[in-house]
Amino acid sequence: MENPPHARRNLVVLVFSNLLAGVGVASGAAVGALLAESLGGTSVAGLAQAVSVLAAAVASIPLATLAQLRGRRWALSLGYALSTVGALLIVTAAVLGQLVVLLVGLMLYGVANATNLQSRYAAADNVGSTTRARTMSVVLWATTVGSVVGPNLAAPGAVVGSGFGVPDLGGPYLFSVIAYLLAGLLLLSLYRDPAGGVSGRVVPAGAVGQGHGDKRAEPRRTGALAALRWAWARPRARFAVVTTAVAHGVMIMVMVMTPVHMQHGGMSLQLVGIVISLHVLGMFAFSPVFGWLADRFGPLRVAVGGIGLQAAAVALGFTAAALAPDVAPDAGAHAGHGAAAPALDAEVLTAVALVLLGLGWSACLIASSAVLASVAEPHVKLPLQGATDALMNYFGAASAALAGPLLAWGGFEAVNTAGAVLLAPAVVTVILAVRSSRPVSDAQVTRAT
């Protein structure tokens, strides 16, 4: 089926805007906790990540609502505009030494994460059902470049910032300001919604039940809760919502505690950095592969594979924790300080587990997003996408909050055990989706309301 007008240009714009925004997010992420600590002490260091994650969750539904009313162009552009203001406030907070200003800035800064996620749905609007998943995955893959480049801008950002009187920890956010501003301007000037007009009724190419000419009635409004109830009554849509949230929660829970566990086990900071970098590559670098697989073999099969990868990850993580020596974090556990060297098997297993964790997250996200992007009902599609992204971020924030107490109570073994338990709802919904009597094609699965 022929793609909408401007489809090729739209996809190029989405790739480059996502790349720029990825640089913006990663530039500040490397120093956010340190900046919060410098202004408010160690007790508030974790607020930097928490505030940004919660802001992404809160922003998901309003951005989706705006996309439904005015189109993706305005929704994504506004998201990056708010993030630009947030980055400017963070720089201001660094100069003035104001913690409250910093937290407000971080809230707006976190909107970029929600905007980046919703750009994958914008990509799906521009193509037919046969290439939907791989197109979404390519836009998501662009984040990989930003994730790699962004953290390396911390030192240059400090140098640039010093020339404007900005403290070292505020300097990297100047790059975030530029990146978000360029991403927003790129979308505002070049992106064109496939449906056209100001109503913003986004109709993906190849969607079923939309072929009634150009003069179509405005879709009725549907709230986030109503959209989730709609999905709950449909096995495949329910699987997509639950799997997105669960896969993200498991990934966050294990990932945020991995550096702490590795340090407790005497592994060096250099090794910690390598393992986390490999994890990020697993999350994004192979997303086009999972997109192709989802288009070729169906999103359900890819989701089953993703859940299996995450199950293998938590199993390996548990095994690595059992093999690693338990060295107290304040007992000179860092490598080169006389602590017992951790077992090589534990190091390797931890690295493999984090790679599998990222790969599983990628497979589940691409597969679930492909199902959500295939929803044809205009009154449900965008609210459901926003609600799912919000639920995903809320679930991730809750998982991160639980991970610390679990690590303190039962070690990394308890964290991975909890991750395995969290996978259960995804397993159940996938089984129900497979057993459902509904047709398995993306187009047919969303025909009924």
Side-chain angles (χ1 to χ4, degrees), residues 273-296:
I274 292 173
V275 169
I276 296 301
S277 296
L278 291 173
H279 169 69
V280 172
L281 285 175
M283 289 176 62
F284 297 110
F286 295 95
S287 55
V289 176
F290 293 123
W292 179 85
L293 290 172
D295 285 332
R296 178 66 177 83

Side-chain angles (χ1 to χ4, degrees), residues 32-408:
L34 296 174
L35 180 57
E37 182 182 34
S38 70
L39 298 183
T42 304
S43 60
V44 301
L47 283 178
Q49 180 68 16
V51 167
S52 294
V53 171
L54 289 176
V58 172
S60 297
I61 293 175
L63 287 176
T65 301
L66 180 60
Q68 186 178 32
L69 294 174
R70 301 281 301 191
R72 302 280 191 190
R73 174 192 177 201
W74 289 104
L76 297 177
S77 299
L78 177 63
Y80 291 134
L82 292 174
S83 303
T84 303
V85 174
L88 285 170
L89 284 176
I90 294 172
V91 173
T92 302
V95 173
L96 300 179
Q98 291 292 323
L99 178 61
V100 174
V101 177
L102 173 66
L103 295 179
V104 174
L106 287 169
M107 289 176 60
L108 294 174
Y109 184 83
V111 175
N113 287 312
T115 310
N116 283 355
L117 284 172
Q118 294 204 9
S119 66
R120 73 193 192 275
Y121 294 125
D125 296 337
N126 287 276
V127 296
S129 59
T130 58
T131 59
R132 183 174 293 137
R134 76 189 74 172
T135 303
M136 298 171 76
S137 68
V138 169
V139 171
L140 196 63
W141 172 85
T143 308
T144 307
V145 179
S147 299
V148 173
V149 173
N152 295 305
L153 295 177
V159 174
V160 173
S162 64
F164 296 93
V166 178
D168 289 352
L169 295 177
Y173 287 96
L174 293 173
F175 290 124
S176 300
V177 171
I178 296 172
Y180 291 150
L181 184 62
L182 289 176
L185 290 175
L186 190 63
L187 285 159
L188 190 62
S189 60
L190 296 179
Y191 187 84
R192 295 294 180 267
D193 286 292
V198 297
S199 67
R201 182 175 181 179
V202 182
V203 182
V208 172
Q210 307 300 326
H212 303 293
D214 291 331
K215 296 183 179 180
R216 292 166 290 191
E218 289 290 324
R220 67 180 184 272
R221 296 283 300 279
T222 301
L225 292 179
L228 290 174
R229 286 195 296 268
W230 181 93
W232 192 256
R234 291 157 176 81
R236 282 172 62 99
R238 181 174 61 219
F239 129 77
V241 173
V242 172
T243 300
T244 298
V246 166
H248 192 64
V250 172
M251 187 273 292
I252 291 291
M253 174 174 282
V254 176
M255 184 268 291
V256 297
M257 287 298 106
T258 296
V260 181
H261 157 69
M262 294 178 70
Q263 286 286 283
H264 287 190
M267 302 183 197
S268 67
L269 285 174
Q270 182 180 13
L271 181 59
V272 171
I274 292 173
V275 169
I276 296 301
S277 296
L278 291 173
H279 169 69
V280 172
L281 285 175
M283 289 176 62
F284 297 110
F286 295 95
S287 55
V289 176
F290 293 123
W292 179 85
L293 290 172
D295 285 332
R296 178 66 177 83
F297 300 105
L300 271 178
R301 291 185 175 90
V302 174
V304 169
I307 293 171
L309 287 170
Q310 288 204 317
V314 295
L316 286 177
F318 184 97
T319 304
L323 291 175
D326 188 12
V327 181
D330 58 350
H334 299 284
H337 287 75
L344 177 61
D345 288 345
E347 295 179 353
V348 174
L349 286 178
T350 300
V352 173
L354 264 290
V355 171
L356 293 179
L357 188 71
L359 290 171
W361 177 88
S362 181
C364 289
L365 183 68
I366 293 298
S368 300
S369 299
V371 173
L372 295 173
S374 70
V375 172
E377 289 77 359
H379 67 285
V380 171
K381 187 184 75 168
L382 272 72
L384 181 58
Q385 292 171 0
T388 301
D389 282 356
L391 189 64
M392 167 186 175
N393 283 295
Y394 283 129
F395 204 75
S399 298
L402 289 173
L406 282 170
L407 185 72

